[in-house]
């Protein structure tokens, strides 16, 4: 059973919403963030990446960065860039990319559901990244970036949300990257109560993206509980900001690999070793290959494209981790042929999100890398299957598009 709760969102005025809404803090580096905000004083990156307001010499994890985030957030509220809803509401958030939409419910989720694994995870988190967001949430006294959740679709929930989206939206704009953002406020208490009750019938929620934000939000809640031992469980710090999408709406893109060298092998010997576990098909007219089914791969090396197909017996179809294409590639090629023992730590391997296209793979392999691999996207069902058995996905398995924008909904903790 999933516990969701309405909340009084702090959100931008309609007129400024398109300028406030920003990509999540963790999809760019500090220099890229500085470039993004230089002509936009309203960008939420001024809060989420507050080092952009400070000299380059300041460490991005310095306390002054979190203090600046708090200062700017409070200033934006005082200057009425943001408004706060007068009563707890739920919200609907729709994103449209290349004619395809995904529509989710913006709500708060219980940290107890996270702790008790009713919010299921599929990734490990890094303590340093957790601590960064713990500091950010604590200083801002708010969840500023939503966690991207999914669930196995329930018709009754979708029906209510679909009906609500026929009303007038509070936000409706197309961002600079061409992605449309539309939002509605569900301020009818009867509808809020119905949705809350229906989610109690949802067995699990799953983190699609935002594991570090979720872990840090839960940790902040626990820290606040230690500070207030007489807490009731109803305080806002017991909940964290989320956008919850039905699984059928989500699209996972491929997450591809590039490797710096052939591990000392000549091309002919490399292909000979690859052929031990894969069937190799040179591409006619040297066409780039985007895999069209699971267990097929594209290989680009020395200016030529090949299609690879896994041979029988190279993986266990009954094992939800071993049957992932990222696992098959690692077990049967990256490690035994190219010597990539650990994708998390090996400096010879790089990762390219599918949003960048196959031309980016060619570019990398022709310049700073030597060989590239295109993969078939992991599915949402794969994520759920692995989370259900308490395991985690291999590194760099999923690339979700579009990304949730930050700044459209903020959840205050007090």
């Amino acid at each position: 059973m999933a516990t969701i709760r309405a909340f009084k969102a702090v959100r931008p005025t309609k007129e400024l919403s398109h300028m406030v809404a920003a990509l999540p803090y963790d999809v760019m580096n500090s220099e890229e963030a500085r470039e993004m905000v230089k002509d936009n004083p309203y960008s939420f990156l001024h809060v989420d990446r507050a080092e952009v307001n400070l000299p380059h010499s300041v460490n991005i994890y310095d306390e002054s960065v979190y203090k600046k985030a708090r200062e700017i957030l409070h200033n934006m509220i005082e200057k009425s860039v943001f408004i706060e809803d007068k009563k707890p509401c739920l919200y609907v958030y729709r994103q449209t990319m290349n004619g395809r939409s995904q529509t989710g419910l913006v709500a708060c989720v219980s940290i107890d559901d996270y702790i008790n694994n009713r919010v299921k995870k599929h990734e490990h988190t890094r303590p340093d990244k957790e601590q960064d967001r713990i500091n950010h949430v604590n200083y801002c006294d708010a969840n500023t970036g939503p966690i991207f959740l999914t669930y196995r679709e329930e018709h009754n929930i979708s029906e209510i949300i679909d009906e609500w989206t026929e009303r007038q939206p509070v936000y409706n704009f197309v961002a600079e990257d061409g992605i449309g953002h539309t939002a509605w406020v569900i301020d009818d208490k009867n509808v809020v109560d119905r949705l809350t009750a229906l989610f109690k019938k949802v067995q699990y929620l799953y983190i699609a993206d935002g594991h570090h934000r979720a872990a840090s939000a839960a940790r902040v809640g626990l820290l606040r509980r230690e500070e207030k031992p007489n807490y009731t469980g109803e305080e806002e710090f017991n909940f964290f900001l989320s956008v919850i999408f039905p699984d059928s709406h989500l699209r996972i893109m491929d997450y591809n690999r590039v490797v710096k060298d052939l591990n000392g092998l000549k091309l002919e010997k490399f292909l000979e070793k690859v052929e031990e576990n894969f069937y190799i098909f040179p591409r006619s007219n040297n066409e780039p290959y985007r895999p069209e089914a699971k267990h097929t791969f594209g290989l680009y090396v020395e200016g030529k494209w090949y299609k690879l197909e896994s041979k029988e017996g190279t993986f266990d179809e009954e094992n939800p981790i071993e049957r992932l294409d990222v696992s098959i590639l690692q077990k049967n090629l990256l490690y035994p042929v190219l010597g990539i023992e650990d994708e998390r730590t090996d400096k010879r391997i790089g990762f390219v999100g599918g949003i960048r296209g196959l031309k980016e793979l060619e570019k990398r392999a022709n310049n700073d890398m030597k060989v590239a691999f295109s993969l078939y996207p992991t599915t949402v069902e794969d994520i759920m299957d692995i989370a259900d058995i308490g395991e985690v996905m291999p590194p760099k398995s999923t690339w979700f598009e579009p990304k949730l924008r930050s700044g459209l909904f903020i959840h205050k903790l007090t």
Side-chain angles (χ1 to χ4, degrees), residues 87-290:
K87 64 179 182 179
C89 301
L90 295 173
Y91 307 84
V92 179
Y93 178 27
R94 173 176 290 164
Q95 298 173 289
T96 303
M97 177 180 175
N98 297 330
R100 182 183 177 281
S101 294
Q102 59 185 34
T103 305
L105 185 71
V106 184
C108 283
V109 171
S110 165
I111 67 167
D112 290 307
D113 280 359
Y114 178 88
I115 294 164
N116 296 326
N117 209 34
R118 285 192 290 272
V119 175
K120 290 188 170 285
K121 307 92 177 165
H122 68 264
E123 285 183 10
H124 290 304
T125 56
R126 283 174 42 184
D128 58 335
K129 288 192 172 184
E130 275 190 42
Q131 190 59 53
D132 169 52
R133 286 301 102 177
I134 288 170
N135 292 340
H136 194 275
V137 171
N138 255 332
Y139 274 86
C140 290
D141 196 31
N143 302 135
T144 57
I147 287 83
F148 188 163
L149 300 180
T150 188
Y151 64 101
R152 291 186 169 91
E153 186 166 10
E154 292 284 342
H155 172 73
N156 290 334
I157 294 174
S158 296
E159 192 174 64
I160 294 172
I161 291 175
D162 288 345
E163 288 176 0
W164 204 266
T165 60
E166 295 176 5
R167 302 182 179 219
Q168 185 72 18
V170 291
Y171 305 134
N172 189 18
F173 63 89
V174 176
E176 71 284 348
D177 55 6
I179 295 171
H181 301 268
T182 313
W184 295 262
V185 179
I186 301 180
D187 54 3
D188 184 321
K189 188 176 184 306
N190 291 329
V191 177
V192 168
D193 290 346
R194 281 171 60 202
L195 284 168
T196 303
L198 284 169
F199 266 95
K200 288 191 179 297
K201 299 177 182 179
V202 172
Q203 188 174 12
Y204 297 117
L205 301 175
Y206 298 82
I207 300 177
D209 202 6
H211 282 77
H212 288 93
R213 288 191 290 276
S216 59
R219 184 63 185 146
V220 168
L222 292 175
L223 290 171
R224 299 286 175 98
R225 287 178 176 182
E226 290 176 9
E227 295 167 2
K228 298 185 178 182
N230 295 321
Y231 74 93
T232 66
E234 293 301 309
E235 298 88 352
E236 292 299 329
F237 59 72
N238 294 290
F239 301 86
F240 59 84
L241 177 65
S242 302
V243 186
I244 313 169
F245 293 90
D247 58 345
S248 65
H249 283 219
L250 300 189
R251 180 191 180 197
I252 302 177
M253 298 189 75
D254 41 310
Y255 215 152
N256 302 310
R257 272 76 172 136
V258 288
V259 179
K260 204 163 192 63
D261 56 63
L262 295 184
N263 199 26
L265 300 171
K266 298 293 186 184
L267 178 61
E268 183 178 354
K269 187 65 175 176
F270 166 70
L271 292 175
E272 184 180 309
K273 283 184 168 291
V274 170
E275 202 165 17
E276 292 176 8
N277 290 315
F278 298 87
Y279 299 106
I280 303 178
F281 304 94
R283 296 290 285 164
S284 61
N285 301 321
N286 203 31
E287 293 178 74
Y289 182 65
R290 184 182 301 281

Side-chain angles (χ1 to χ4, degrees), residues 254-259 298 325-327 329-330 334 343 349-352 361 371-375 394-398:
D254 41 310
Y255 215 152
N256 302 310
R257 272 76 172 136
V258 288
V259 179
D325 284 347
V326 291
S327 299
L329 188 68
Q330 171 62 24
L334 294 180
E343 288 186 286
I349 191 169
F351 305 91
V352 180
L361 292 183
V371 58
F373 302 92
S374 56
L375 285 81
K396 308 296 184 182
S397 299
T398 58

Side-chain angles (χ1 to χ4, degrees), residues 308-320:
L308 306 182
E309 287 184 5
S310 300
K311 289 185 176 180
E312 298 78 4
T314 55
F315 62 94
D316 180 1
E317 188 64 57
E318 299 303 313
N319 186 307

